[in-house]
Amino acid sequence: QSVLTQPPSASGTPGQRVTISCSGSSSNIGSNTVKWYQQLPGTAPKLLIYSNNQRPSGVPDRFSGSKSDTSASLAISGLQSEDEADYYCATWDDSLNAFYVFGTGTKVTVL
Amino acid sequence: QLQLQESGPRLVKPSETLSLTCTVSGASVTNSGYYWGWVRQPPGKGLEWIGDIYYSGSTYYNPSLKSRVTILVDTSKNQFFLELSSVTAADTAVYYCVRKGAYVAATDDWGPGTLVTVSS
């Protein structure tokens, strides 16, 4: 059972903006930077956002991340059909012994 | 360019130990500033972090798996390993080996993953 909570699903039509939330606590999101991953069907996850709001080279600027207190968000603007995938947030948790944790995951559907 | 490749038995019997190898090419497991670790994903479910080993040898494990997990490194073969003991059907999953940067957060590389089934 993950300590990072995401909505199970989100959807939008092509061109729309979709936002995914990731809710944590002071020991994880509140204390550490957040990463976001995109997982296309049958493939390994791919890093989409690091350090809360930074994009690795090659990631379109349609993807953006933000963090406030103990929550983080991923926004996809100008939604495209190839954005249909599962999205996960992740960060370290500093409670007792440090451990890494993934969010529960959000399935984005392009209608 | 870094490549990670998982290998090991695809079928493991209940109560036995699951053992996987990650072969690293394009970088050294002794390079400073990296975590080498494992993530798994049960069929149709989300990602679960198993654990990491830091280049210095320090290990970090998921508290829920800690009693059953060991992650080791073989610097001579440039490989690292996962051992998960006393497996049950709940351990059936795709297992990924991963490199994360400790100082460069943009460093985040995954192997293609390997499906391990626990069944008699």
Side-chain angles (χ1 to χ4, degrees):
Chain A
Q1 187 171 354
S2 176
V3 297
L4 301 181
T5 304
Q6 298 178 231
S9 64
S11 63
T13 57
Q16 278 191 328
R17 175 183 172 94
V18 169
T19 301
I20 302 167
S21 61
C22 175
S23 178
S25 67
S26 58
S27 64
N28 43 66
I29 293 178
S31 307
N32 298 286
T33 60
V34 176
K35 290 184 175 181
W36 287 92
Y37 295 89
Q38 177 192 60
Q39 186 178 31
L40 298 170
T43 68
K46 167 193 166 186
L47 183 65
L48 211 57
I49 297 287
Y50 67 95
S51 297
N52 305 327
N53 56 17
Q54 303 297 303
R55 285 184 308 275
S57 61
V59 173
D61 60 6
R62 303 184 292 103
F63 295 93
S64 61
S66 63
K67 186 184 106 167
S68 178
D69 294 329
T70 58
S71 292
S73 293
L74 173 72
I76 310 172
S77 58
L79 193 65
Q80 298 182 6
S81 58
E82 57 261 38
D83 299 334
E84 187 159 294
D86 295 320
Y87 293 84
Y88 296 89
C89 57
T91 188
W92 285 96
D93 191 298
D94 296 334
S95 53
L96 291 176
N97 300 309
F99 63 95
Y100 200 71
V101 61
F102 289 96
T104 50
T106 299
K107 168 69 176 178
V108 169
T109 301
V110 181
L111 302 171
Chain B
Q1 184 176 351
L2 178 78
Q3 287 191 331
L4 304 169
Q5 182 64 57
E6 305 88 351
S7 61
R10 300 297 195 267
L11 181 64
V12 181
K13 290 182 168 54
S15 81
E16 295 189 344
T17 296
L18 180 158
S19 297
L20 292 175
T21 299
C22 183
T23 300
V24 180
S25 57
S28 171
V29 295
T30 61
N31 285 356
S32 64
Y34 296 109
Y35 294 97
W36 306 90
W38 295 90
V39 174
R40 71 180 183 178
Q41 185 171 35
K45 296 188 178 180
L47 301 171
E48 180 180 33
W49 177 75
I50 299 172
D52 289 338
I53 185 165
Y54 198 37
Y55 77 99
S56 62
S58 298
T59 51
Y60 305 85
Y61 297 134
N62 187 322
S64 67
L65 299 171
K66 187 174 183 177
S67 64
R68 300 193 292 129
V69 172
T70 303
I71 296 177
L72 302 166
V73 167
D74 184 334
T75 57
S76 66
K77 295 183 178 179
N78 213 37
Q79 295 174 325
F80 61 101
F81 311 95
L82 169 67
E83 294 184 348
L84 180 65
S85 64
S86 305
V87 298
T88 69
D91 295 308
T92 294
V94 174
Y95 286 77
Y96 297 99
C97 58
V98 181
R99 181 185 75 164
K100 294 195 298 288
Y103 308 119
V104 180
T107 299
D108 196 294
D109 304 284
W110 295 61
T114 185
L115 174 63
V116 180
T117 301
V118 178
S119 175
S120 54

